[in-house]
Amino acid sequence: MATWANLGLQDSSSPLMEQLNFFHDHTLLILTMITILVGYIMGMLLFNKFTNRYLLHGQTIEIIWTVLPAIILMFIAFPSLRLLYLMDEINTPSITLKSIGHQWYWSYEYSDFLNLEFDSYMIPTNELETNGFRLLDVDNRIVLPMNNQIRILVTATDVLHSWTVPSLGVKVDATPGRLNQINFLINRPGLFFGQCSEICGANHSFMPIVIESIP
């Protein structure tokens, strides 16, 4: 979960989020190199006193500064596309969970079992235990097995919501009348916190998600 002064991404708890972390660092490194290069060139332009009266065109340098950015963009585009396709890939799921967004709580159905469904509300601050997390803990957690392919079907009953768990790299829009699905695998036990990430009305901030991963 996110902690105070945490400027980076959360620690990954799924193989996909691990890849997203690597891609973030890879892209950031490229951006840093571009920023340093452009800053250096701008500094040189500002502070040098050289002139060349006969410089009318420079085809070589123009080819270089057209081709080089295209190659750099390919270094960002190919890993990005690979990840996009991996995130959409649906492997054979061991368990299916249906998540339904309401104003302002989530309800869940374990589709593989008969009559296993429940609502999940945020625990109000005045009812919270001393070891609970304010605005993040819920009365009924989702319990899922680790090291298993899990399919989540997401929809809503009223307005747009978004089912998001950052440490698993999962973010799915919950749209009324539409069923979206996503696949993930949790590779360690623990509690994973998320929140609705689509502004859905007055209590948008008060519909958290808690996944309890068990061996």
Side-chain angles (χ1 to χ4, degrees):
M1 65 178 289
T3 50
W4 292 111
N6 182 11
L7 296 177
L9 299 168
Q10 294 182 25
D11 291 342
S12 61
S13 306
S14 73
L16 204 58
M17 187 59 194
E18 208 167 298
Q19 291 296 312
L20 285 167
N21 264 327
F22 290 147
F23 176 66
H24 170 265
D25 295 344
H26 164 80
T27 312
L28 208 61
L29 190 67
I30 292 172
L31 286 175
T32 306
M33 292 190 315
I34 293 169
T35 308
I36 290 167
L37 178 68
V38 172
Y40 173 74
I41 292 169
M42 285 173 69
M44 292 294 289
L45 280 171
L46 286 169
F47 295 114
N48 77 40
K49 299 284 191 293
F50 301 126
T51 56
N52 186 341
R53 289 161 57 203
Y54 303 109
L55 185 65
L56 299 174
H57 62 85
Q59 296 215 320
T60 313
I61 190 68
E62 283 180 10
I63 290 169
I64 291 169
W65 71 40
T66 304
V67 172
L68 202 63
I71 294 168
I72 291 169
L73 284 174
M74 283 163 67
F75 273 97
I76 296 174
F78 287 133
S80 171
L81 285 168
R82 173 180 157 270
L83 268 174
L84 271 173
Y85 280 101
L86 275 175
M87 287 170 78
D88 264 350
E89 190 72 39
I90 298 294
N91 301 302
T92 310
S94 307
I95 189 167
T96 300
L97 175 72
K98 188 176 179 187
S99 169
I100 304 158
H102 308 266
Q103 285 182 309
W104 288 274
Y105 64 96
W106 295 99
S107 57
Y108 299 101
E109 297 172 12
Y110 284 85
S111 311
D112 305 304
F113 308 99
L114 289 174
N115 301 324
L116 184 49
E117 50 188 77
F118 56 89
D119 295 335
S120 180
Y121 288 88
M122 185 192 80
I123 301 174
T125 309
N126 58 346
E127 295 174 20
L128 202 61
E129 292 179 24
T130 47
N131 61 351
F133 293 108
R134 184 178 156 272
L135 302 184
L136 280 178
D137 256 321
V138 294
D139 54 359
N140 293 312
R141 294 170 177 164
I142 310 159
V143 179
L144 292 172
M146 62 178 273
N147 292 331
N148 279 277
Q149 289 293 340
I150 294 153
R151 173 172 55 190
I152 303 274
L153 303 174
V154 185
T155 187
T157 55
D158 35 46
V159 296
L160 285 174
H161 300 279
S162 186
W163 198 87
T164 307
V165 183
S167 59
L168 299 176
V170 175
K171 187 173 193 287
V172 200
D173 282 348
T175 312
R178 183 188 171 101
L179 208 58
N180 291 327
Q181 73 171 350
I182 199 159
N183 204 70
F184 64 86
L185 177 143
I186 307 171
N187 57 15
R188 60 192 173 107
L191 289 179
F192 307 109
F193 294 89
Q195 287 175 301
C196 176
S197 297
E198 187 76 56
I199 293 176
C200 57
N203 292 336
H204 158 66
S205 312
F206 309 118
M207 44 186 300
I209 299 151
V210 183
I211 296 177
E212 187 175 336
S213 168
I214 55 170

